[in-house]
Amino acid sequence: MEITINGSTTALPQDPRVSLLDFLREGLHLFGTKKGCDQGACGACTVLVDGERILSCLALAVQFEGRDVVTIEGLSAAGTAGGEGLHPLQQAFIGCDGFQCGYCTPGQICSAVGMVAEAKRGSPSHVTADLAAAVTLTRNEIQERMSGNLCRCGAHNGIIDAIQQVLSAEVLS
Amino acid sequence: MTPFRFARAADTADALRLAAGPASAYLGGGTNLVDLMRETVATPGSLVDVTGLSNTVSPTESGGLLIGAALRNTALAEHPAVRARYPVLSRAILAGASAQIRNMATVGGNLLQRTRCAYFYDAEGARCNKRAPGSGCDALEGFSRYHAILGASPACVATQPSDMCVALAALGAIVHVQGAGGARTLPFTELHRLPGDTPEIDTVLAPGDLITAIELPPLPFATNSAYRKVRDRASYAFALVSVAAALEVEDGRVRDVRIAFGGVAHKPWRALTAEAALRGGPADGPAFHAAAAAELADAQPLRDNGFKIELVKRTLVAVLGDLGGAVA
Ligand SMILES: Cc1cc2nc3c(=O)[nH]c(=O)nc-3n(C[C@H](O)[C@H](O)[C@H](O)COP(=O)(O)OP(=O)(O)OC[C@H]3O[C@@H](n4cnc5c(N)ncnc54)[C@H](O)[C@@H]3O)c2cc1C
Ligand code: FES
Ligand code: FES
């Protein structure tokens, strides 16, 4: 029983009770992914599985056998040539004051990457006026689509700014 | 979490075989069940992962759609045929939870997420007949803003929290079930039950029954359908009340109509009384108000939720107005 985390294949935990979040943090010492509420209510634990954003606290690690998981550590490594730098969204969060304490930030950034992919394939949201039309990521659309990620420091405006900045530079693919 | 065995089902027969023992539960995305297990409200001895079973959307002979129970909520909401022909279903799903949760949640799991309230979750601090039958209900005299106004009992006032299910009730969906006795279907509106004296039982399914698919019947006028959810914050919150409706108007009169309410009862509430009052009559504000009043005639408020009666009436009138009736 194996799982791929940030490009490396590793054995899943023996005990099926271990959540994907606890496996990442306690099993693999990938502390970028945060535990806010442990009950699906905050989004701090957001990671990408086969490119889709999910909550790692609400799922068991064994449910993801054979799947490809990317955490904030994987995003920053993939975003730069040497693997040492920052993902463009991380850079934009710094430039736009997209955080204060930083606790929600890894979840926000993983969520934003998944959100952009959803919009690019035309997935509508609650605020999309016409279900048949192409999706334009207006500020209102980004707010709705990012509503699963809470920020206790109230950095939401900076977060949206950072996402818009990267979208307008079309660095995200 | 209490210890359990974990297995992945390869197909429907495999799932039924693996779940044959006592205390087994099927596992979809896990967004409700894993949470309840962590709180020790649910303590299954074995989990059977059914996310590998059918997740396709295919046309039926009658002109409807058959949706595999393992399909993720996001995929159902964005499916082109659902968006075009049953917009109320896309809208209801998109109004629920968060994008991350919708990416995880399956159709089967959404249908069978527990009817619940905060007292149900509070295993250490609260009495709850749904969690511990016969122990009492702390919600009755407690904080009841989110609780039921229709069809409740002295044993339980919890509400079924799914948005998707409200749309399925309005559309007259059909549930496909595979159980020990073979395959069967049942109307979606008969899947969930009212609490009565046994609120620990949410649905009519027997232990081991597997939901394999949900079928949408052809309903041409559902192209003119909508979902409106009223909640305490603009996104990522459960409904206070919600309304799913489809309306067909001809020469100013209601030719046909489908209505269901969320957030008001132990099950998605199909508003048959309001539908009957509207059918054949004028599609205008006074008729909408009268139909809403008729549906809510038996509503019973608790300490904190009396506002829901007026709120669901007004929401229904507004939705029908949006769908093409003139609101006077
Ligand atoms: C923070 C938070 C906010 C939420 N907000 C909303 C909201 O606003 N609106 C809303 O509608 N929902 C909301 N939800 C609930 C969410 O929609 C459900 O948790 C989800 O749909 C359940 O799907 P799942 O596949 O994860 O189910 P699971 O948790 O895997 O399973 C749920 C139940 O279904 C059973 N089951 C699963 N599949 C089958 C099958 N094929 N046959 C038989 N039994 C099966 C399981 O045994 C279990 O009892 C919220 C959840 C969270 C955590
Ligand atoms: S820690 Fe997972 S949503 Fe809060
Ligand atoms: S930056 Fe502190 S919680 Fe978001």
Side-chain angles (χ1 to χ4, degrees):
Chain A
M1 295 235 297
E2 291 184 328
I3 184 170
T4 301
I5 314 275
N6 297 331
S8 317
T9 300
T10 173
L12 279 162
Q14 294 291 321
D15 188 337
R17 289 178 294 181
V18 178
S19 69
L20 180 59
L21 175 59
D22 286 343
F23 179 57
L24 291 170
R25 290 181 57 86
E26 286 161 30
L28 302 177
H29 294 178
L30 290 168
F31 297 118
T33 309
K34 298 292 187 272
K35 184 184 284 190
C37 65
D38 215 18
Q39 55 183 23
C42 76
C45 65
T46 303
V47 298
L48 297 160
V49 176
D50 297 332
E52 298 239 310
R53 49 181 172 162
I54 60 113
L55 299 178
S56 59
C57 74
L58 276 188
L60 306 167
V62 288
Q63 287 175 264
F64 297 94
E65 185 191 352
R67 311 278 295 275
D68 201 337
V69 178
V70 172
T71 67
I72 190 70
E73 290 91 345
L75 275 184
S76 62
T80 50
E84 304 275 291
L86 296 176
H87 185 275
L89 263 172
Q90 291 177 302
Q91 199 63 56
F93 267 61
I94 296 170
C96 297
D97 285 337
F99 58 91
Q100 287 179 40
C101 78
Y103 199 80
C104 71
T105 314
Q108 300 278 4
I109 290 177
C110 287
S111 186
V113 170
M115 185 273 294
V116 171
E118 288 160 14
K120 286 208 165 148
R121 69 166 191 254
S123 193
S125 85
H126 173 61
V127 300
T128 307
D130 179 357
L131 285 179
V135 172
T136 312
L137 282 180
T138 60
R139 204 168 173 90
N140 190 31
E141 279 279 4
I142 296 173
Q143 279 169 342
E144 163 61 23
R145 289 167 189 265
M146 292 296 293
S147 71
N149 293 82
L150 307 190
C151 174
R152 287 296 297 270
C153 299
H156 293 284
N157 285 326
I159 291 168
I160 311 285
D161 291 343
I163 295 170
Q164 286 195 310
Q165 189 182 86
V166 173
L167 276 174
S168 62
E170 286 193 324
V171 190
L172 281 182
S173 57
Chain B
M1 243 187 247
T2 51
F4 56 87
R5 288 182 307 283
F6 177 88
R8 197 179 306 272
D11 54 35
T12 302
D14 195 31
L16 288 169
R17 187 180 54 76
L18 287 167
S24 292
Y26 295 115
L27 182 66
T31 61
N32 185 225
L33 185 54
V34 169
D35 195 30
L36 290 170
M37 288 167 65
R38 191 173 287 139
E39 300 294 332
T40 66
V41 176
T43 54
S46 126
L47 287 185
V48 179
D49 186 329
V50 291
T51 55
L53 306 193
S54 170
N55 65 355
T56 55
V57 178
S58 43
T60 62
E61 277 177 23
S62 64
L65 290 178
L66 189 70
I67 299 155
L71 189 70
R72 306 289 172 168
N73 287 194
T74 300
L76 182 56
E78 73 182 43
H79 193 280
V82 177
R83 280 150 84 172
R85 292 164 54 197
Y86 306 95
V88 64
L89 181 56
S90 287
R91 291 290 183 195
I93 295 168
L94 295 171
S98 67
Q100 289 97 315
I101 294 172
R102 295 192 297 269
N103 282 343
M104 304 170 81
T106 59
V107 168
N110 190 315
L111 260 51
L112 292 187
Q113 61 175 297
R114 292 303 308 267
T115 292
R116 58 193 188 269
C117 79
Y119 296 98
F120 173 69
Y121 263 92
D122 188 4
E124 269 147 40
R127 296 179 307 153
C128 170
N129 289 318
K130 187 181 276 298
R131 173 167 34 77
S135 66
C137 170
D138 276 342
L140 272 181
E141 308 286 321
F143 180 66
S144 50
R145 182 171 175 78
Y146 289 93
H147 291 76
I149 52 170
L150 290 168
S153 76
C156 181
V157 290
T159 50
Q160 209 277 350
S162 166
D163 291 294
M164 183 176 93
C165 285
V166 185
L168 293 176
L171 291 170
I174 297 154
V175 187
H176 290 241
V177 179
Q178 189 87 37
R184 68 185 194 278
T185 59
L186 71 154
F188 177 76
T189 48
E190 289 171 20
L191 174 66
H192 298 93
R193 52 186 295 286
L194 292 175
D197 296 333
T198 51
E200 69 277 16
I201 307 171
D202 289 348
T203 73
V204 300
L205 297 186
D209 276 351
L210 175 74
I211 294 183
T212 54
I214 186 106
E215 181 181 341
L216 302 180
L219 194 69
F221 74 93
T223 50
N224 188 40
S225 63
Y227 186 73
R228 191 176 295 188
K229 177 178 183 180
V230 185
R231 38 188 161 172
D232 277 330
R233 60 183 187 198
S235 189
Y236 201 12
F238 287 104
L240 289 164
V241 304
S242 68
V243 171
L247 179 66
E248 184 177 29
V249 179
E250 201 177 67
D251 300 330
R253 303 192 83 78
V254 176
R255 211 182 127 91
D256 207 352
V257 62
R258 297 295 177 81
I259 302 165
F261 299 151
V264 297
H266 198 263
K267 60 182 289 185
W269 189 267
R270 177 77 181 265
L272 292 172
T273 305
E275 290 179 15
L278 287 165
R279 223 168 260 127
D284 61 16
F288 299 161
H289 280 283
E295 189 66 50
L296 274 297
D298 295 331
Q300 291 282 341
L302 297 159
R303 189 190 71 192
D304 303 322
N305 69 0
F307 71 93
K308 282 190 175 185
I309 299 176
E310 188 59 29
L311 185 59
V312 74
K313 285 187 201 172
R314 290 185 191 181
T315 308
L316 174 58
V317 172
V319 169
L320 293 175
D322 286 349
L323 288 175
V327 180

